[in-house]
Amino acid sequence: MTPLQVDLACDATGGNAPIAYLWDFGNGRTTPLQNPSLTYTQAGIYVAVCRVTDADGDSSLARVEGTQNIVVVDGEFGGETAFSGFGAGGEPTAVAVVSDLLAIARGAPGRQATDVQARRPVAREFDAPHYVRFMIRDRPGIIAALAEVFSRHAINVDAVWQEPGGAKTELPFVMTLESCGSASVTAALNEIGQFDFHVRPPLWLPILSRGEARA
């Protein structure tokens, strides 16, 4: 039934004052009021979210109600990212039940799969672009040394990224590699790991997209 008037309230505890509030009403409108009122003029499902930020810039989602679930991921470079979706109700529950039934049919003890396709094993060796993150003590010649090792393993460097102004004693930078064999990357990084400029071991991940990785 529209229009529908809604009174919202948000109360935060902890953190350092002053506390700032930002409501997102789920209809394209926002407000910095702590306890706002609004009127929804069109029928639909709306999720109102309140983000609370203290004087130090620390923030969190205050409340999510109804059938929506929200997960907040805080990344070093990407900052906070919120993912929301239905966690209850007819169709989401049906998906969860069917997923459980498939898991049982595929491998539960005492049961045998019939018409259910078994999980395909992941190939140990595959070709794909790769992401490599280094954490180093900065000094001249590091990128040249890395490039020389990758070259000997027939790996082409696609891009190098480093945020300027970082601490020289613990400096992160990223390389992306053109499509190559995972075994070649492993061998190259085992060799690179012997260099004495690492603060932490290199971190590498394949960059996969649908149909891109080839076993």
Side-chain angles (χ1 to χ4, degrees), residues 56-85:
D56 297 327
D58 295 326
S59 65
S60 64
L61 291 173
R63 177 181 295 178
V64 179
E65 294 184 342
T67 62
Q68 286 279 332
N69 289 337
I70 288 189
V71 176
V72 178
V73 178
D74 192 358
E76 181 177 356
F77 298 108
E80 276 194 357
T81 305
F83 301 89
S84 67

PDB file of all heavy atoms in Angstrom, residues 56-85:
ATOM      1  N   ASP A  56      37.521   8.791  14.036  1.00  0.00           N
ATOM      2  CA  ASP A  56      38.735   8.205  13.465  1.00  0.00           C
ATOM      3  C   ASP A  56      38.511   7.633  12.070  1.00  0.00           C
ATOM      4  O   ASP A  56      39.435   7.087  11.469  1.00  0.00           O
ATOM      5  CB  ASP A  56      39.260   7.096  14.380  1.00  0.00           C
ATOM      6  CG  ASP A  56      39.658   7.624  15.748  1.00  0.00           C
ATOM      7  OD1 ASP A  56      40.118   8.779  15.829  1.00  0.00           O
ATOM      8  OD2 ASP A  56      39.498   6.873  16.729  1.00  0.00           O
ATOM      9  N   GLY A  57      37.280   7.734  11.580  1.00  0.00           N
ATOM     10  CA  GLY A  57      36.983   7.194  10.259  1.00  0.00           C
ATOM     11  C   GLY A  57      36.593   5.737  10.258  1.00  0.00           C
ATOM     12  O   GLY A  57      36.358   5.152   9.200  1.00  0.00           O
ATOM     13  N   ASP A  58      36.526   5.102  11.447  1.00  0.00           N
ATOM     14  CA  ASP A  58      36.087   3.712  11.523  1.00  0.00           C
ATOM     15  C   ASP A  58      34.583   3.655  11.321  1.00  0.00           C
ATOM     16  O   ASP A  58      33.844   4.481  11.850  1.00  0.00           O
ATOM     17  CB  ASP A  58      36.451   3.098  12.878  1.00  0.00           C
ATOM     18  CG  ASP A  58      37.954   3.015  13.073  1.00  0.00           C
ATOM     19  OD1 ASP A  58      38.666   2.790  12.081  1.00  0.00           O
ATOM     20  OD2 ASP A  58      38.404   3.186  14.216  1.00  0.00           O
ATOM     21  N   SER A  59      34.120   2.677  10.548  1.00  0.00           N
ATOM     22  CA  SER A  59      32.700   2.615  10.238  1.00  0.00           C
ATOM     23  C   SER A  59      32.221   1.181  10.237  1.00  0.00           C
ATOM     24  O   SER A  59      33.001   0.233  10.191  1.00  0.00           O
ATOM     25  CB  SER A  59      32.405   3.259   8.877  1.00  0.00           C
ATOM     26  OG  SER A  59      33.016   2.517   7.846  1.00  0.00           O
ATOM     27  N   SER A  60      30.902   1.030  10.288  1.00  0.00           N
ATOM     28  CA  SER A  60      30.281  -0.289  10.212  1.00  0.00           C
ATOM     29  C   SER A  60      28.842  -0.116   9.794  1.00  0.00           C
ATOM     30  O   SER A  60      28.263   0.963   9.909  1.00  0.00           O
ATOM     31  CB  SER A  60      30.346  -1.012  11.563  1.00  0.00           C
ATOM     32  OG  SER A  60      29.598  -0.306  12.526  1.00  0.00           O
ATOM     33  N   LEU A  61      28.255  -1.196   9.300  1.00  0.00           N
ATOM     34  CA  LEU A  61      26.829  -1.193   9.003  1.00  0.00           C
ATOM     35  C   LEU A  61      26.075  -1.399  10.304  1.00  0.00           C
ATOM     36  O   LEU A  61      26.336  -2.345  11.047  1.00  0.00           O
ATOM     37  CB  LEU A  61      26.490  -2.306   8.010  1.00  0.00           C
ATOM     38  CG  LEU A  61      27.031  -2.095   6.597  1.00  0.00           C
ATOM     39  CD1 LEU A  61      26.790  -3.338   5.769  1.00  0.00           C
ATOM     40  CD2 LEU A  61      26.374  -0.905   5.943  1.00  0.00           C
ATOM     41  N   ALA A  62      25.139  -0.505  10.591  1.00  0.00           N
ATOM     42  CA  ALA A  62      24.477  -0.551  11.883  1.00  0.00           C
ATOM     43  C   ALA A  62      23.454  -1.668  11.971  1.00  0.00           C
ATOM     44  O   ALA A  62      23.398  -2.396  12.949  1.00  0.00           O
ATOM     45  CB  ALA A  62      23.794   0.790  12.157  1.00  0.00           C
ATOM     46  N   ARG A  63      22.606  -1.831  10.966  1.00  0.00           N
ATOM     47  CA  ARG A  63      21.546  -2.824  11.084  1.00  0.00           C
ATOM     48  C   ARG A  63      21.032  -3.196   9.701  1.00  0.00           C
ATOM     49  O   ARG A  63      20.888  -2.346   8.834  1.00  0.00           O
ATOM     50  CB  ARG A  63      20.391  -2.268  11.923  1.00  0.00           C
ATOM     51  CG  ARG A  63      19.212  -3.223  12.034  1.00  0.00           C
ATOM     52  CD  ARG A  63      18.095  -2.625  12.848  1.00  0.00           C
ATOM     53  NE  ARG A  63      18.491  -2.417  14.222  1.00  0.00           N
ATOM     54  CZ  ARG A  63      17.704  -1.856  15.143  1.00  0.00           C
ATOM     55  NH1 ARG A  63      16.500  -1.456  14.815  1.00  0.00           N
ATOM     56  NH2 ARG A  63      18.124  -1.699  16.378  1.00  0.00           N
ATOM     57  N   VAL A  64      20.762  -4.475   9.534  1.00  0.00           N
ATOM     58  CA  VAL A  64      20.096  -4.960   8.333  1.00  0.00           C
ATOM     59  C   VAL A  64      18.996  -5.894   8.791  1.00  0.00           C
ATOM     60  O   VAL A  64      19.250  -6.837   9.532  1.00  0.00           O
ATOM     61  CB  VAL A  64      21.070  -5.710   7.400  1.00  0.00           C
ATOM     62  CG1 VAL A  64      20.334  -6.206   6.176  1.00  0.00           C
ATOM     63  CG2 VAL A  64      22.209  -4.803   6.991  1.00  0.00           C
ATOM     64  N   GLU A  65      17.763  -5.632   8.385  1.00  0.00           N
ATOM     65  CA  GLU A  65      16.645  -6.425   8.848  1.00  0.00           C
ATOM     66  C   GLU A  65      15.941  -7.091   7.679  1.00  0.00           C
ATOM     67  O   GLU A  65      16.244  -6.843   6.515  1.00  0.00           O
ATOM     68  CB  GLU A  65      15.661  -5.551   9.631  1.00  0.00           C
ATOM     69  CG  GLU A  65      16.240  -5.015  10.940  1.00  0.00           C
ATOM     70  CD  GLU A  65      15.226  -4.239  11.731  1.00  0.00           C
ATOM     71  OE1 GLU A  65      14.209  -3.828  11.155  1.00  0.00           O
ATOM     72  OE2 GLU A  65      15.445  -4.044  12.936  1.00  0.00           O
ATOM     73  N   GLY A  66      14.956  -7.928   8.018  1.00  0.00           N
ATOM     74  CA  GLY A  66      14.198  -8.617   6.993  1.00  0.00           C
ATOM     75  C   GLY A  66      14.971  -9.805   6.454  1.00  0.00           C
ATOM     76  O   GLY A  66      15.762 -10.431   7.155  1.00  0.00           O
ATOM     77  N   THR A  67      14.751 -10.128   5.195  1.00  0.00           N
ATOM     78  CA  THR A  67      15.368 -11.314   4.600  1.00  0.00           C
ATOM     79  C   THR A  67      16.710 -11.024   3.961  1.00  0.00           C
ATOM     80  O   THR A  67      17.310 -11.901   3.354  1.00  0.00           O
ATOM     81  CB  THR A  67      14.432 -11.910   3.529  1.00  0.00           C
ATOM     82  OG1 THR A  67      14.239 -10.941   2.495  1.00  0.00           O
ATOM     83  CG2 THR A  67      13.100 -12.297   4.133  1.00  0.00           C
ATOM     84  N   GLN A  68      17.200  -9.789   4.071  1.00  0.00           N
ATOM     85  CA  GLN A  68      18.474  -9.439   3.465  1.00  0.00           C
ATOM     86  C   GLN A  68      19.631  -9.773   4.401  1.00  0.00           C
ATOM     87  O   GLN A  68      19.561  -9.533   5.607  1.00  0.00           O
ATOM     88  CB  GLN A  68      18.521  -7.942   3.148  1.00  0.00           C
ATOM     89  CG  GLN A  68      17.672  -7.530   1.962  1.00  0.00           C
ATOM     90  CD  GLN A  68      18.370  -7.802   0.649  1.00  0.00           C
ATOM     91  OE1 GLN A  68      19.589  -7.803   0.575  1.00  0.00           O
ATOM     92  NE2 GLN A  68      17.604  -8.034  -0.388  1.00  0.00           N
ATOM     93  N   ASN A  69      20.703 -10.342   3.834  1.00  0.00           N
ATOM     94  CA  ASN A  69      21.959 -10.521   4.545  1.00  0.00           C
ATOM     95  C   ASN A  69      23.003  -9.630   3.898  1.00  0.00           C
ATOM     96  O   ASN A  69      23.016  -9.479   2.674  1.00  0.00           O
ATOM     97  CB  ASN A  69      22.437 -11.977   4.481  1.00  0.00           C
ATOM     98  CG  ASN A  69      21.567 -12.889   5.323  1.00  0.00           C
ATOM     99  OD1 ASN A  69      20.910 -12.437   6.245  1.00  0.00           O
ATOM    100  ND2 ASN A  69      21.559 -14.167   5.000  1.00  0.00           N
ATOM    101  N   ILE A  70      23.875  -9.051   4.709  1.00  0.00           N
ATOM    102  CA  ILE A  70      24.941  -8.203   4.176  1.00  0.00           C
ATOM    103  C   ILE A  70      26.271  -8.640   4.781  1.00  0.00           C
ATOM    104  O   ILE A  70      26.375  -8.861   5.988  1.00  0.00           O
ATOM    105  CB  ILE A  70      24.690  -6.713   4.469  1.00  0.00           C
ATOM    106  CG1 ILE A  70      23.548  -6.202   3.587  1.00  0.00           C
ATOM    107  CG2 ILE A  70      25.936  -5.887   4.234  1.00  0.00           C
ATOM    108  CD1 ILE A  70      23.340  -4.714   3.630  1.00  0.00           C
ATOM    109  N   VAL A  71      27.276  -8.786   3.916  1.00  0.00           N
ATOM    110  CA  VAL A  71      28.636  -9.088   4.342  1.00  0.00           C
ATOM    111  C   VAL A  71      29.519  -7.918   3.939  1.00  0.00           C
ATOM    112  O   VAL A  71      29.480  -7.471   2.794  1.00  0.00           O
ATOM    113  CB  VAL A  71      29.153 -10.388   3.698  1.00  0.00           C
ATOM    114  CG1 VAL A  71      30.602 -10.634   4.088  1.00  0.00           C
ATOM    115  CG2 VAL A  71      28.284 -11.566   4.104  1.00  0.00           C
ATOM    116  N   VAL A  72      30.312  -7.398   4.878  1.00  0.00           N
ATOM    117  CA  VAL A  72      31.214  -6.285   4.603  1.00  0.00           C
ATOM    118  C   VAL A  72      32.638  -6.818   4.538  1.00  0.00           C
ATOM    119  O   VAL A  72      33.104  -7.476   5.470  1.00  0.00           O
ATOM    120  CB  VAL A  72      31.104  -5.189   5.680  1.00  0.00           C
ATOM    121  CG1 VAL A  72      32.084  -4.060   5.390  1.00  0.00           C
ATOM    122  CG2 VAL A  72      29.683  -4.650   5.740  1.00  0.00           C
ATOM    123  N   VAL A  73      33.326  -6.556   3.423  1.00  0.00           N
ATOM    124  CA  VAL A  73      34.708  -6.980   3.226  1.00  0.00           C
ATOM    125  C   VAL A  73      35.584  -5.738   3.239  1.00  0.00           C
ATOM    126  O   VAL A  73      35.321  -4.776   2.514  1.00  0.00           O
ATOM    127  CB  VAL A  73      34.874  -7.734   1.892  1.00  0.00           C
ATOM    128  CG1 VAL A  73      36.328  -8.130   1.687  1.00  0.00           C
ATOM    129  CG2 VAL A  73      33.977  -8.963   1.866  1.00  0.00           C
ATOM    130  N   ASP A  74      36.616  -5.738   4.081  1.00  0.00           N
ATOM    131  CA  ASP A  74      37.516  -4.593   4.196  1.00  0.00           C
ATOM    132  C   ASP A  74      38.861  -4.983   3.607  1.00  0.00           C
ATOM    133  O   ASP A  74      39.560  -5.840   4.150  1.00  0.00           O
ATOM    134  CB  ASP A  74      37.668  -4.191   5.669  1.00  0.00           C
ATOM    135  CG  ASP A  74      38.361  -2.843   5.833  1.00  0.00           C
ATOM    136  OD1 ASP A  74      38.754  -2.261   4.803  1.00  0.00           O
ATOM    137  OD2 ASP A  74      38.508  -2.379   6.973  1.00  0.00           O
ATOM    138  N   GLY A  75      39.233  -4.384   2.457  1.00  0.00           N
ATOM    139  CA  GLY A  75      40.480  -4.707   1.783  1.00  0.00           C
ATOM    140  C   GLY A  75      41.506  -3.603   1.936  1.00  0.00           C
ATOM    141  O   GLY A  75      41.164  -2.434   2.126  1.00  0.00           O
ATOM    142  N   GLU A  76      42.779  -3.973   1.835  1.00  0.00           N
ATOM    143  CA  GLU A  76      43.859  -3.007   2.025  1.00  0.00           C
ATOM    144  C   GLU A  76      43.818  -1.909   0.980  1.00  0.00           C
ATOM    145  O   GLU A  76      44.060  -0.741   1.271  1.00  0.00           O
ATOM    146  CB  GLU A  76      45.204  -3.736   1.971  1.00  0.00           C
ATOM    147  CG  GLU A  76      46.408  -2.823   2.188  1.00  0.00           C
ATOM    148  CD  GLU A  76      47.715  -3.595   2.192  1.00  0.00           C
ATOM    149  OE1 GLU A  76      47.678  -4.836   2.107  1.00  0.00           O
ATOM    150  OE2 GLU A  76      48.772  -2.955   2.269  1.00  0.00           O
ATOM    151  N   PHE A  77      43.512  -2.263  -0.268  1.00  0.00           N
ATOM    152  CA  PHE A  77      43.518  -1.279  -1.343  1.00  0.00           C
ATOM    153  C   PHE A  77      42.109  -0.851  -1.740  1.00  0.00           C
ATOM    154  O   PHE A  77      41.893   0.280  -2.149  1.00  0.00           O
ATOM    155  CB  PHE A  77      44.251  -1.840  -2.569  1.00  0.00           C
ATOM    156  CG  PHE A  77      45.697  -2.149  -2.307  1.00  0.00           C
ATOM    157  CD1 PHE A  77      46.132  -3.459  -2.215  1.00  0.00           C
ATOM    158  CD2 PHE A  77      46.614  -1.136  -2.124  1.00  0.00           C
ATOM    159  CE1 PHE A  77      47.458  -3.754  -1.965  1.00  0.00           C
ATOM    160  CE2 PHE A  77      47.941  -1.414  -1.870  1.00  0.00           C
ATOM    161  CZ  PHE A  77      48.367  -2.727  -1.789  1.00  0.00           C
ATOM    162  N   GLY A  78      41.140  -1.737  -1.626  1.00  0.00           N
ATOM    163  CA  GLY A  78      39.789  -1.418  -2.072  1.00  0.00           C
ATOM    164  C   GLY A  78      38.905  -0.801  -1.020  1.00  0.00           C
ATOM    165  O   GLY A  78      37.822  -0.321  -1.330  1.00  0.00           O
ATOM    166  N   GLY A  79      39.342  -0.818   0.266  1.00  0.00           N
ATOM    167  CA  GLY A  79      38.504  -0.287   1.326  1.00  0.00           C
ATOM    168  C   GLY A  79      37.334  -1.208   1.621  1.00  0.00           C
ATOM    169  O   GLY A  79      37.369  -2.407   1.338  1.00  0.00           O
ATOM    170  N   GLU A  80      36.264  -0.650   2.208  1.00  0.00           N
ATOM    171  CA  GLU A  80      35.096  -1.441   2.569  1.00  0.00           C
ATOM    172  C   GLU A  80      34.188  -1.653   1.364  1.00  0.00           C
ATOM    173  O   GLU A  80      33.875  -0.722   0.638  1.00  0.00           O
ATOM    174  CB  GLU A  80      34.301  -0.753   3.683  1.00  0.00           C
ATOM    175  CG  GLU A  80      34.820  -1.034   5.069  1.00  0.00           C
ATOM    176  CD  GLU A  80      33.830  -0.619   6.141  1.00  0.00           C
ATOM    177  OE1 GLU A  80      32.773  -0.060   5.790  1.00  0.00           O
ATOM    178  OE2 GLU A  80      34.121  -0.850   7.322  1.00  0.00           O
ATOM    179  N   THR A  81      33.769  -2.901   1.173  1.00  0.00           N
ATOM    180  CA  THR A  81      32.809  -3.246   0.133  1.00  0.00           C
ATOM    181  C   THR A  81      31.719  -4.087   0.766  1.00  0.00           C
ATOM    182  O   THR A  81      32.013  -5.026   1.505  1.00  0.00           O
ATOM    183  CB  THR A  81      33.477  -4.043  -1.001  1.00  0.00           C
ATOM    184  OG1 THR A  81      34.597  -3.302  -1.501  1.00  0.00           O
ATOM    185  CG2 THR A  81      32.499  -4.285  -2.138  1.00  0.00           C
ATOM    186  N   ALA A  82      30.463  -3.749   0.505  1.00  0.00           N
ATOM    187  CA  ALA A  82      29.332  -4.473   1.083  1.00  0.00           C
ATOM    188  C   ALA A  82      28.643  -5.292  -0.001  1.00  0.00           C
ATOM    189  O   ALA A  82      28.402  -4.803  -1.104  1.00  0.00           O
ATOM    190  CB  ALA A  82      28.340  -3.503   1.717  1.00  0.00           C
ATOM    191  N   PHE A  83      28.347  -6.553   0.328  1.00  0.00           N
ATOM    192  CA  PHE A  83      27.624  -7.447  -0.568  1.00  0.00           C
ATOM    193  C   PHE A  83      26.322  -7.833   0.114  1.00  0.00           C
ATOM    194  O   PHE A  83      26.328  -8.294   1.252  1.00  0.00           O
ATOM    195  CB  PHE A  83      28.449  -8.704  -0.868  1.00  0.00           C
ATOM    196  CG  PHE A  83      29.776  -8.422  -1.508  1.00  0.00           C
ATOM    197  CD1 PHE A  83      30.901  -8.200  -0.737  1.00  0.00           C
ATOM    198  CD2 PHE A  83      29.901  -8.365  -2.884  1.00  0.00           C
ATOM    199  CE1 PHE A  83      32.131  -7.933  -1.316  1.00  0.00           C
ATOM    200  CE2 PHE A  83      31.121  -8.100  -3.477  1.00  0.00           C
ATOM    201  CZ  PHE A  83      32.235  -7.883  -2.697  1.00  0.00           C
ATOM    202  N   SER A  84      25.203  -7.643  -0.576  1.00  0.00           N
ATOM    203  CA  SER A  84      23.907  -7.955   0.016  1.00  0.00           C
ATOM    204  C   SER A  84      23.143  -8.915  -0.879  1.00  0.00           C
ATOM    205  O   SER A  84      23.356  -8.976  -2.088  1.00  0.00           O
ATOM    206  CB  SER A  84      23.087  -6.678   0.233  1.00  0.00           C
ATOM    207  OG  SER A  84      22.723  -6.109  -1.007  1.00  0.00           O
ATOM    208  N   GLY A  85      22.241  -9.660  -0.254  1.00  0.00           N
ATOM    209  CA  GLY A  85      21.406 -10.585  -1.006  1.00  0.00           C
ATOM    210  C   GLY A  85      20.380 -11.215  -0.090  1.00  0.00           C
ATOM    211  O   GLY A  85      20.467 -11.119   1.138  1.00  0.00           O
TER     212      GLY A  85
END
